Amino acid sequence: MKPKRIGKNPSNIVTLDMVAIESGVSPSTVSRLLNGTATVSEEKKKSIDAAIAKLGFVPNPVARGLAGGRTLSIGVVTQALDSPFYGAALRGIEDELDPAGYSPLFVSAHWNLASEVRCIDMLRSRRVDGFIVLNGRMTDNALKNIAANLPLVVTGRQIKGPGLFALNFDNLGGGFQATQHLIQLGHRRIAFIAGDPEHPDANERFKGYLNALKAANISFDPNLVVAGEYHEISGLLAVDRLLASQQQFTAIFAANDQMAFGAALSLHRHALRVPDDVSLMGFDDLANSLYCAPPLSTIHQPAYELGRLAASAMLQLLAGKKPTAVMPAPVLIARDSTRRLRV
Amino acid sequence: MKPKRIGKNPSNIVTLDMVAIESGVSPSTVSRLLNGTATVSEEKKKSIDAAIAKLGFVPNPVARGLAGGRTLSIGVVTQALDSPFYGAALRGIEDELDPAGYSPLFVSAHWNLASEVRCIDMLRSRRVDGFIVLNGRMTDNALKNIAANLPLVVTGRQIKGPGLFALNFDNLGGGFQATQHLIQLGHRRIAFIAGDPEHPDANERFKGYLNALKAANISFDPNLVVAGEYHEISGLLAVDRLLASQQQFTAIFAANDQMAFGAALSLHRHALRVPDDVSLMGFDDLANSLYCAPPLSTIHQPAYELGRLAASAMLQLLAGKKPTAVMPAPVLIARDSTRRLRV
DNA sequence: TTGTAGGCGTTATCAG
DNA sequence: CTGATAACGCCTACAA
């Protein structure tokens, strides 16, 4: 008899076969019990359960994946692992997936289409059971193609299809509320720091800004709009430019909190005080927004919740059900960075 | 002839076997070429390469894992996915691993020993090729046991062993520098917001504080030390307590930036100004520390770098080499939250 | 309801 | 240097 090949994993690893032997049934029966593929007699079920407990058996996801079954892993395409916003979402995903026995496989695409495609291929090669794509750059059609094979949950857009579920935040409404808040405080010269026009959500926020102006009969002044890129430094530079342009304004609405932080620093450097000289409004309500001086007024976007909802939708998709998750509506958080305009 | 079972993956997946057939060699040869396990004749190499290119073959990591080979994945045990500090480290890990073809598998243990052990087991069941443990709670011995089977890189402690590499930041030196900075500015009543005493790094920072006081002949006053837990709210509460205790102080050194942010908010709420009334010093130099008003003086700890170094050490371990990575020394970043004591 | 016999895609062993 | 052949651990038609 040939010597059996010795496994590379020195840790005493318990296999399904061992459970089968221990409990005196065939491996298939054990497998079926585990997967609920077929009904197993109460008696055998008991002895199998006992054997599993005794041996401390844990199914090997790798083997499962190969055998064509599930890998119990979900590919999560994010744009930046270390973004404060996505960080919270990732935690939500993890928290929701974990009790269900699924593990997230995080990859970041850095807002880059090519890299996003590579990520998806990589995840597919690792046989994930589904995808969660956070605000990707891919076209709707590309996503539909992916969803044709594997369940897919995507955030940041409206799109429907079989095996596909979209979770979208009301950025337009949020942008409207933010702007309206400033207007209600008496501001009429409200600067807007925009996000990358490639982001649909950035554009929606901008639209919300426009709508609110219009609703208040304030004429739109394009000179008050400066481009940004959703991170701190771009907010800082935007305000630098705004100030250099000599435009008059009494309030700033930044399309996200990170840019608002940058804006605050620029104002600080120019000896302008928030909110005494300029009211400042953000968007997202990052964990940090409460902990800056002054605490930032913003629109609350539930990042953690978003993660949980996306993951739970994925779980439902996997179970063949129709996801029911709906995003909470945007909520205005008025803190100390905005104040009534002094006349 | 029985109908061949149809794979679950509808995407036309190219296998190694197909490459073998296409190039007219045996699968083993293809495998050997791919893994560099043995020398392959130049001629066959060419035709295999051609076949791979033509078919667009990508090895299946899952099958590889099962076959006892590597899964090309590294288990990364972090404490909190959404912590600003770890976020940067994770990005570093990802950036370093990716070009080498490895994928990180992130799990967070939430500073909880039991959960950390579960994470490790889970990762092991997924056949990761190695572990990177960021500031875990496990004992040195437990880690050594893990390292006996799989290469392990751990941060936040000093420990040596086969297949084991530790990457430690000089928290003591950093704590010393931070305190010394305040002393040099003329402060003598310096409050300290401590971290969880379970964290070795928190204790080291505290020691640095003590050493600096001693070096300056300033007697240590335990009343100036308040407990914190490394997140914002704990810093806020700590300062609330400190203020309530009526202790006199002119500066605060928080054991990490997040607590410093909380401290700043508490001061703000008590109408105390930074740095005019109180100088505030943090530790870590989070991305955000620059973008708060006033920008926070702190000790720079290279989180992203840490991630890269840990990952590159892992790669070296995997290659059977001895890792050479060393952590950069702490660097004082003096910004606007600290100033010379006015007499 | 249960067992048997492949097969998933790759690597490792062994004999040429 | 190369090719069969047997695992890796599990799942699933098929047959009983």
Side-chain angles (χ1 to χ4, degrees):
Chain A
M1 181 188 179
K2 278 187 203 165
K4 206 177 170 179
R5 202 173 80 195
I6 289 145
K8 285 68 210 153
N9 194 326
S11 60
N12 33 7
I13 158 173
V14 183
T15 72
L16 184 146
D17 278 6
M18 296 165 63
V19 174
I21 294 170
E22 173 75 25
S23 52
V25 303
S26 79
S28 356
T29 305
V30 179
S31 170
R32 282 187 285 248
L33 175 60
L34 251 43
N35 299 288
T37 314
T39 20
V40 175
S41 71
E42 195 56 35
E43 183 190 12
K44 306 215 167 190
K45 173 168 161 33
K46 258 187 200 159
S47 80
I48 294 175
D49 283 341
I52 289 180
K54 177 178 172 191
L55 269 39
F57 167 71
V58 179
N60 179 337
V62 179
R64 262 184 160 151
L66 223 212
R70 287 124 271 112
T71 50
L72 293 182
S73 59
I74 302 295
V76 179
V77 179
T78 171
Q79 300 306 324
L81 271 178
D82 58 338
S83 131
F85 182 78
Y86 288 110
L90 301 189
R91 188 162 56 83
I93 292 176
E94 191 187 27
D95 286 356
E96 184 76 24
L97 249 30
D98 189 55
Y102 281 84
S103 305
L105 222 57
F106 297 117
V107 292
S108 33
H110 308 291
W111 295 112
N112 176 270
L113 177 57
S115 136
E116 197 169 322
V117 172
R118 274 201 322 125
C119 286
I120 299 242
D121 281 345
M122 191 273 273
L123 290 171
R124 209 204 306 274
S125 85
R126 287 188 178 273
R127 293 292 186 281
V128 295
D129 298 337
F131 293 103
I132 296 178
V133 177
L134 299 175
N135 287 59
R137 281 246 190 269
M138 308 186 74
T139 65
D140 285 4
N141 269 334
L143 289 180
K144 280 185 186 169
N145 281 336
I146 295 173
N149 297 334
L150 251 21
L152 169 64
V153 172
V154 58
T155 71
R157 66 177 90 192
Q158 303 275 38
I159 172 177
K160 275 181 211 239
L164 180 53
F165 185 73
L167 218 42
N168 201 14
F169 185 67
D170 181 11
N171 288 288
L172 192 149
F176 186 91
Q177 280 188 52
T179 313
Q180 191 183 44
H181 169 62
L182 291 168
I183 293 172
Q184 284 172 348
L185 290 175
H187 297 276
R188 297 186 66 84
R189 298 286 299 167
I190 303 172
F192 181 71
I193 308 181
D196 185 335
E198 297 268 319
H199 292 219
D201 47 282
N203 287 327
E204 292 292 299
R205 293 173 197 185
F206 182 43
K207 269 192 214 164
Y209 164 79
L210 294 177
N211 289 356
L213 290 183
K214 181 180 289 181
N217 276 316
I218 299 175
S219 65
F220 166 59
D221 181 354
N223 293 316
L224 288 179
V225 175
V226 278
E229 289 169 31
Y230 267 18
H231 45 241
E232 291 83 355
I233 186 69
S234 72
L236 184 145
L237 296 173
V239 172
D240 282 353
R241 288 200 305 279
L242 194 59
L243 256 15
S245 76
Q246 305 275 14
Q247 295 294 323
Q248 298 298 312
F249 60 93
T250 63
I252 299 176
F253 169 29
N256 79 354
D257 281 1
Q258 287 176 264
M259 294 196 294
F261 298 149
L265 180 54
S266 170
L267 293 171
H268 174 77
R269 287 188 182 165
H270 288 88
L272 256 19
R273 305 221 303 210
V274 176
D276 305 77
D277 302 314
V278 177
S279 276
L280 180 61
M281 182 85 204
F283 197 117
D284 276 349
D285 194 21
L286 299 182
N288 238 59
S289 304
L290 177 57
Y291 297 98
C292 50
L296 186 69
S297 294
T298 188
I299 299 294
H300 180 69
Q301 180 173 15
Y304 175 78
E305 207 67 27
L306 171 69
R308 290 203 77 122
L309 288 174
S312 94
M314 173 51 66
L315 258 17
Q316 292 180 293
L317 240 30
L318 252 13
K321 297 181 211 154
K322 202 171 162 55
T324 54
V326 301
M327 278 296 281
V331 173
L332 172 75
I333 309 284
R335 290 200 272 249
D336 305 350
S337 69
T338 49
R339 60 168 289 174
R340 177 155 292 283
L341 181 65
R342 288 193 284 203
V343 282
Chain B
M1 180 189 181
K2 279 186 205 166
K4 205 176 171 181
R5 202 173 76 194
I6 290 144
K8 283 74 206 148
N9 196 326
S11 61
N12 35 7
I13 158 174
V14 183
T15 72
L16 184 145
D17 277 3
M18 296 166 63
V19 173
I21 294 170
E22 173 77 24
S23 53
V25 302
S26 77
S28 332
T29 305
V30 178
S31 171
R32 280 187 287 248
L33 175 61
L34 252 43
N35 298 287
T37 315
T39 19
V40 176
S41 72
E42 193 58 33
E43 183 191 12
K44 307 215 169 196
K45 175 168 159 33
K46 258 186 200 160
S47 80
I48 293 174
D49 283 341
I52 289 180
K54 177 178 171 193
L55 269 38
F57 167 72
V58 180
N60 179 336
V62 179
R64 265 184 158 148
L66 223 211
R70 288 121 268 114
T71 51
L72 293 181
S73 59
I74 302 294
V76 179
V77 179
T78 171
Q79 300 306 324
L81 270 179
D82 59 338
S83 129
F85 182 78
Y86 287 111
L90 301 190
R91 189 163 55 85
I93 291 176
E94 193 187 26
D95 285 356
E96 183 76 25
L97 249 30
D98 189 56
Y102 281 84
S103 305
L105 222 56
F106 297 117
V107 291
S108 32
H110 307 292
W111 296 112
N112 176 271
L113 177 56
S115 135
E116 197 169 324
V117 172
R118 274 198 323 125
C119 288
I120 299 239
D121 281 345
M122 191 274 273
L123 291 171
R124 209 203 306 274
S125 86
R126 288 190 178 269
R127 294 291 187 279
V128 296
D129 297 339
F131 292 103
I132 296 179
V133 176
L134 299 176
N135 288 60
R137 282 247 191 268
M138 307 186 75
T139 65
D140 285 4
N141 269 334
L143 289 180
K144 280 186 185 168
N145 281 335
I146 295 172
N149 297 335
L150 250 22
L152 169 65
V153 172
V154 58
T155 71
R157 65 177 91 192
Q158 302 275 36
I159 170 176
K160 274 180 211 242
L164 180 53
F165 185 73
L167 217 43
N168 202 14
F169 185 67
D170 181 12
N171 288 290
L172 193 148
F176 186 92
Q177 280 188 53
T179 313
Q180 192 185 43
H181 170 62
L182 291 168
I183 293 172
Q184 284 171 348
L185 289 175
H187 297 276
R188 298 186 66 81
R189 299 284 299 167
I190 303 172
F192 181 72
I193 308 181
D196 185 335
E198 297 267 319
H199 291 221
D201 47 283
N203 287 326
E204 292 291 300
R205 292 173 196 185
F206 182 42
K207 269 193 212 161
Y209 165 77
L210 293 177
N211 289 356
L213 290 183
K214 182 180 285 180
N217 277 317
I218 299 175
S219 65
F220 166 61
D221 179 354
N223 293 317
L224 288 179
V225 176
V226 277
E229 289 169 31
Y230 266 18
H231 45 242
E232 291 84 354
I233 186 70
S234 71
L236 184 147
L237 296 173
V239 172
D240 282 352
R241 287 199 305 280
L242 193 60
L243 256 16
S245 76
Q246 305 275 15
Q247 295 294 323
Q248 298 298 312
F249 61 93
T250 63
I252 300 176
F253 169 28
N256 80 353
D257 281 2
Q258 287 175 265
M259 293 195 296
F261 297 149
L265 180 54
S266 171
L267 293 171
H268 174 77
R269 287 188 182 167
H270 288 88
L272 257 17
R273 306 222 302 210
V274 176
D276 306 77
D277 302 315
V278 177
S279 276
L280 180 61
M281 182 85 204
F283 197 116
D284 276 349
D285 194 21
L286 299 182
N288 238 59
S289 304
L290 177 56
Y291 296 98
C292 49
L296 186 68
S297 294
T298 187
I299 298 294
H300 181 69
Q301 180 173 15
Y304 176 78
E305 206 68 28
L306 171 69
R308 289 203 77 121
L309 288 173
S312 95
M314 172 53 65
L315 258 18
Q316 292 180 293
L317 240 30
L318 251 15
K321 297 181 211 153
K322 203 172 161 53
T324 53
V326 301
M327 278 296 281
V331 173
L332 173 75
I333 310 283
R335 290 200 270 249
D336 305 349
S337 69
T338 49
R339 61 169 288 173
R340 176 154 293 284
L341 182 64
R342 290 194 283 202
V343 282

